[in-house]
């Protein structure tokens, strides 16, 4: 192998070898996890990083996770200090102020040593069904500070030289409602990383450290060149767009997300500094989430095959303002920032690009990951349960085709929880799960339709937290296309049906339930 560069064949071999390891880590996690949220919905992501946290390769999982994990891994390693790591150590953290998303997303980080030298890091991130806090599921919309959202874990050793730190683990689990599920899921994360560690060591035995380092640097350089070239194919120009997040978690409170994007040759500059300040409710998000949205949008608009490693962001400059909705600082609550705000960041970015590159931009999609959590203490089993699921909606129509119906769009890429699994795992009955017909916007190409999920509690009582968006606003159409139909949330009580706000919480008793209908996507072109 050439000592200064890789040829095209060598580059593809390196890319596929490293990406396959990340994919295998993710597959192992999914197949060995305990909670339906991970094993069925696949609410998890995995990647390989350099000793300093430089992203090398990722599995094709959830855009939001994949976009923010490089920042989180880099900051976690810097905070803990790589000089304090030895073979057999495993770190765990969920701190959103280090670049995480929200507290349920636990990140497990495993250093990979070769002949006593730190060569790489394997990391995966998974959404746990509970991490404490004021509501089961740890996704309270009405939190006003981070302490109400659950246990916040700084980067600490879960394993020290291969030995589980049982006292630390006990403290963590004692503050979590779903201890058995959480214990199993965290151990699955650890085991999946160990598989990745073995695969990297096998690669090091074959390649050696010099070739491994050369290959990872070449892949990052390759991604930077590819991204720069992709940006260069966009027209030069500048656009500014403001979209509205309609609810702050506590009340209807329109909050502006304003972004200016500028393409100049092969460089992209993105400026969010005019976005409104962080709010008292749980829709704030870290600046790492915002950067992840930018990375996603540039792939969406140019070339979805762009390699997802550290080189992707090299030709891109992102400006945020600390203390704003999209760059929140302590002690801002953040539980629903990725669920709601990340999707609106994408909408704002698409609106800005449409100002000067309209042929690349689709109409707005449903605008929310649309989450529902239902949890409580089940007297029959003597244990807490916590149902967590996000729902798809209508995809915005594109300049050349209709939008898809009832799908996860933009920053989310999970599956659904099968109805049979819901009724087996929880005291819930699925009354309806269907496409919300004719909710997509009309146009030359139609927006996709939203979906409907109706659940009833079968015994006991439970707390419900529901969060969607585009209820008082609608996903916008483009080029004369109609807006999509807004979504809605309904509480089904013994005294009748009650429409609720887009972000809401309430208690239900046996026989009562909830319906959530997600918004349809915007249409494209004059019908």
């Amino acid at each position: 192998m050439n000592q200064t560069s890789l040829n095209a064949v060598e580059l593809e071999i390196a890319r596929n070898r490293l990406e396959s390891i990340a994919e295998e880590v993710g597959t192992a996690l999914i197949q060995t996890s305990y909670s339906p949220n991970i094993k069925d919905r696949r609410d998890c992501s995995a990647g390989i990083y350099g000793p300093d946290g430089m992203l090398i390769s990722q599995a094709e999982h959830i855009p939001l996770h994949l976009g923010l994990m490089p920042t989180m891994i880099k900051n976690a390693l810097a905070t803990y200090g790589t000089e304090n790591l030895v073979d057999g150590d495993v770190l765990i953290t969920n701190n959103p102020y280090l670049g995480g998303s929200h507290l349920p997303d636990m990140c497990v980080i495993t250093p990979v040593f070769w002949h006593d030298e730190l060569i790489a890091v394997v990391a995966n991130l998974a959404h746990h069904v509970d991490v404490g806090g004021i509501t089961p599921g740890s996704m309270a919309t009405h939190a006003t500070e981070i302490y109400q959202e659950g246990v916040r874990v700084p980067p600490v050793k879960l394993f020290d030289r291969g030995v589980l730190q049982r006292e630390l683990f006990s403290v963590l689990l004692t503050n979590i409602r779903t201890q058995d599920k959480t214990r199993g899921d965290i151990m699955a994360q650890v085991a999946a990383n160990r598989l990745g560690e073995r695969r990297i060591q096998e690669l090091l035995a074959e390649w050696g450290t010099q070739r491994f380092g050369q290959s990872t640097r070449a892949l990052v350089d390759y991604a930077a060149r590819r991204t720069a070239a992709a940006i260069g194919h966009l027209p030069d120009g500048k656009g500014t767009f403001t979209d509205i997040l309609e609810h702050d978690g506590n009340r209807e409170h329109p909050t502006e997300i304003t972004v200016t994007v500028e393409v100049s040759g092969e460089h992209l500059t993105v400026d969010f500094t005019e976005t409104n300040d962080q709010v008292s409710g749980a829709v704030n998000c870290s600046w790492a989430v915002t950067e992840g949205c930018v990375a996603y949008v540039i792939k969406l608009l140019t070339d979805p095959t762009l390699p997802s490693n550290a080189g992707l962001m090299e030709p891109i400059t992102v400006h945020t303002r600390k203390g704003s909705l999209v760059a929140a600082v302590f002690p801002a609550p953040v539980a629903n920032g990725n669920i709601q705000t990340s999707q609106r960041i994408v909408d704002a970015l698409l609106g800005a690009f449409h100002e000067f590159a309209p042929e690349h931009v689709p109409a707005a999609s449903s605008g929310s990951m649309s989450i529902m959590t239902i949890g409580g203490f089940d007297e029959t089993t003597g244990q807490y349960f916590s149902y967590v699921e996000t729902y798809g909606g209508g995809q915005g129509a594109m300049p050349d085709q209709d939008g898809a119906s009832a799908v996860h769009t933009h920053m989310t890429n999970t599956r659904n929880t099968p109805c049979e699994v819901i009724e087996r795992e929880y005291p819930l009955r699925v009354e309806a799960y269907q496409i919300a017909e004719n909710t997509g916007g009309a146009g030359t190409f139609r927006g996709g339709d939203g979906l409907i999920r109706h659940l009833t509690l079968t015994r006991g009582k439970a707390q419900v937290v529901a969060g969607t968006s585009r209820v008082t606003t609608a996903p916008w159409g483009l080029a004369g296309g109609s807006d999509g139909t807004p979504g809605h949330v309904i509480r089904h009580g013994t005294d009748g049906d009650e429409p609720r706000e887009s972000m809401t919480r309430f208690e239900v008793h046996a026989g009562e339930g909830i319906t959530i209908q997600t918004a349809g996507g915007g249409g494209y072109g004059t019908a």
Side-chain angles (χ1 to χ4, degrees):
M1 175 180 287
N2 187 291
Q3 296 303 303
T4 58
S5 63
L6 303 187
N7 63 39
V9 173
E10 293 167 335
L11 198 64
E12 277 299 289
I13 291 172
R15 181 178 68 82
N16 283 280
R17 290 289 295 272
L18 289 162
E19 287 181 359
S20 70
I21 295 173
E23 291 284 356
E24 191 174 6
V25 171
T27 299
L29 172 56
I30 291 164
Q31 292 181 341
T32 59
S33 58
Y34 278 43
S35 68
N37 197 53
I38 302 173
K39 68 182 178 184
D40 292 301
R41 293 192 60 246
R42 304 189 177 190
D43 196 346
C44 58
S45 299
I48 301 170
Y49 303 80
D52 61 350
M54 178 188 74
L55 175 61
I56 296 172
S57 65
Q58 292 179 324
E60 297 231 353
H61 289 147
I62 299 174
L64 181 94
H65 289 172
L66 300 175
L68 63 85
M69 281 179 71
T71 300
M72 189 177 196
I73 304 304
K74 184 175 295 185
N75 287 342
L77 292 173
T79 299
Y80 194 87
T82 53
E83 70 278 6
N84 299 313
L85 297 173
V86 297
D87 193 16
D89 287 349
V90 176
L91 298 179
I92 187 170
T93 184
N94 66 346
N95 191 346
Y97 306 120
L98 288 179
S101 54
H102 54 192
L103 299 185
D105 281 345
M106 285 281 186
C107 186
V108 172
I109 304 167
T110 303
V112 180
F113 286 84
W114 187 250
H115 300 307
D116 297 324
E117 180 184 358
L118 179 61
I119 298 297
V121 170
V122 181
N124 67 66
L125 185 148
H127 184 116
H128 291 260
V129 294
D130 191 88
V131 290
I134 56 178
T135 59
S138 311
M139 291 296 298
T141 63
H142 62 294
T144 57
E145 60 178 4
I146 191 71
Y147 295 106
Q148 298 167 335
E149 297 189 321
V151 177
R152 184 159 52 107
V153 183
V156 292
K157 284 185 181 180
L158 180 64
F159 281 78
D160 186 357
R161 299 177 186 269
V163 178
L164 174 64
Q165 302 303 286
R166 296 185 182 279
E167 291 183 352
L168 168 66
F169 205 25
S170 178
V171 169
L172 180 61
L173 293 176
T174 298
N175 289 280
I176 291 173
R177 297 175 180 87
T178 54
Q179 294 186 22
D180 289 345
K181 287 286 193 294
T182 300
R183 180 187 292 109
D185 285 344
I186 289 178
M187 289 298 101
Q189 289 183 265
V190 172
N193 276 3
R194 283 178 174 162
L195 174 60
E197 179 185 18
R198 292 198 301 273
R199 293 291 183 260
I200 292 175
Q201 289 173 338
E202 291 168 1
L203 197 58
L204 287 165
E206 178 183 340
W207 284 2
T209 57
Q210 182 178 355
R211 180 178 172 184
F212 182 85
Q214 178 191 8
S215 297
T216 58
R217 289 190 298 272
L219 287 171
V220 170
D221 291 342
Y222 171 65
R225 294 194 304 272
R226 286 273 308 273
T227 305
I231 293 171
H233 283 98
L234 291 171
D236 282 0
K238 186 175 183 179
T240 298
F241 191 84
T242 297
D243 212 330
I244 302 296
L245 190 67
E246 62 200 51
H247 203 291
D248 72 3
N250 282 295
R251 60 193 175 98
E252 296 286 353
H253 178 215
T255 306
E256 294 183 352
I257 298 174
T258 299
V259 61
T260 297
V261 299
E262 183 174 6
V263 173
S264 178
E266 295 187 339
H267 189 82
L268 169 65
T269 302
V270 183
D271 190 335
F272 287 94
T273 56
E274 296 303 313
T275 293
N276 284 175
D277 291 345
Q278 63 190 46
V279 297
S280 60
V283 295
N284 306 289
C285 63
S286 72
W287 60 272
V289 170
T290 303
E291 283 203 345
C293 294
V294 174
Y296 163 78
V297 166
I298 200 61
K299 292 185 72 170
L300 170 69
L301 297 183
T302 60
D303 181 358
T305 70
L306 291 176
S308 290
N309 63 41
L312 180 67
M313 291 301 292
E314 284 192 10
I316 303 172
T317 301
V318 181
H319 299 290
T320 56
R321 177 174 54 83
K322 285 186 177 181
S324 67
L325 184 73
V326 298
V329 296
F330 175 84
V334 296
N336 288 271
N338 58 336
I339 302 296
Q340 311 299 342
T341 311
S342 70
Q343 301 289 65
R344 194 63 74 256
I345 291 170
V346 170
D347 286 347
L349 285 163
L350 293 178
F353 273 105
H354 188 262
E355 295 292 313
F356 62 94
E359 67 278 9
H360 294 269
V361 178
S365 296
S366 59
S368 173
M369 297 183 193
S370 296
I371 193 168
M372 178 137 63
T373 66
I374 305 175
F377 187 76
D378 189 343
E379 298 286 352
T380 300
T381 63
Q383 294 182 326
Y384 269 95
F385 70 94
S386 179
Y387 161 78
V388 179
E389 186 168 14
T390 57
Y391 302 126
Q395 181 185 44
M398 289 150 277
D400 59 350
Q401 60 184 299
D402 295 340
S405 296
V407 295
H408 290 281
T409 56
H410 297 322
M411 300 309 292
T412 177
N413 188 34
T414 56
R415 296 188 175 189
N416 66 357
T417 306
C419 298
E420 297 84 355
V421 172
I422 293 174
E423 295 183 346
R424 183 190 69 212
E425 293 280 339
Y426 312 105
L428 297 171
R429 183 172 61 249
V430 180
E431 307 286 0
Y433 186 44
Q434 64 194 74
I435 292 176
E437 300 286 351
N438 300 314
T439 53
T444 305
F445 297 101
R446 290 191 58 87
D449 293 332
L451 65 72
I452 298 169
R453 175 82 95 176
H454 178 183
L455 297 170
T456 296
L457 186 70
T458 58
R459 61 178 181 264
K461 64 180 180 180
Q463 293 185 59
V464 176
V465 175
T468 186
S469 193
R470 298 301 194 189
V471 169
T472 60
T473 63
W476 33 263
L478 285 178
S482 299
D483 292 346
T485 301
H488 62 253
V489 178
I490 299 174
R491 179 186 185 276
H492 303 290
T494 55
D495 53 352
D497 294 345
E498 177 191 6
R500 305 289 294 199
E501 294 180 352
S502 58
M503 300 186 72
T504 185
R505 57 188 170 90
F506 51 84
E507 190 172 88
V508 291
H509 294 79
E512 298 181 319
I514 181 173
T515 290
I516 186 169
Q517 177 176 313
T518 61
Y524 196 102
T526 304

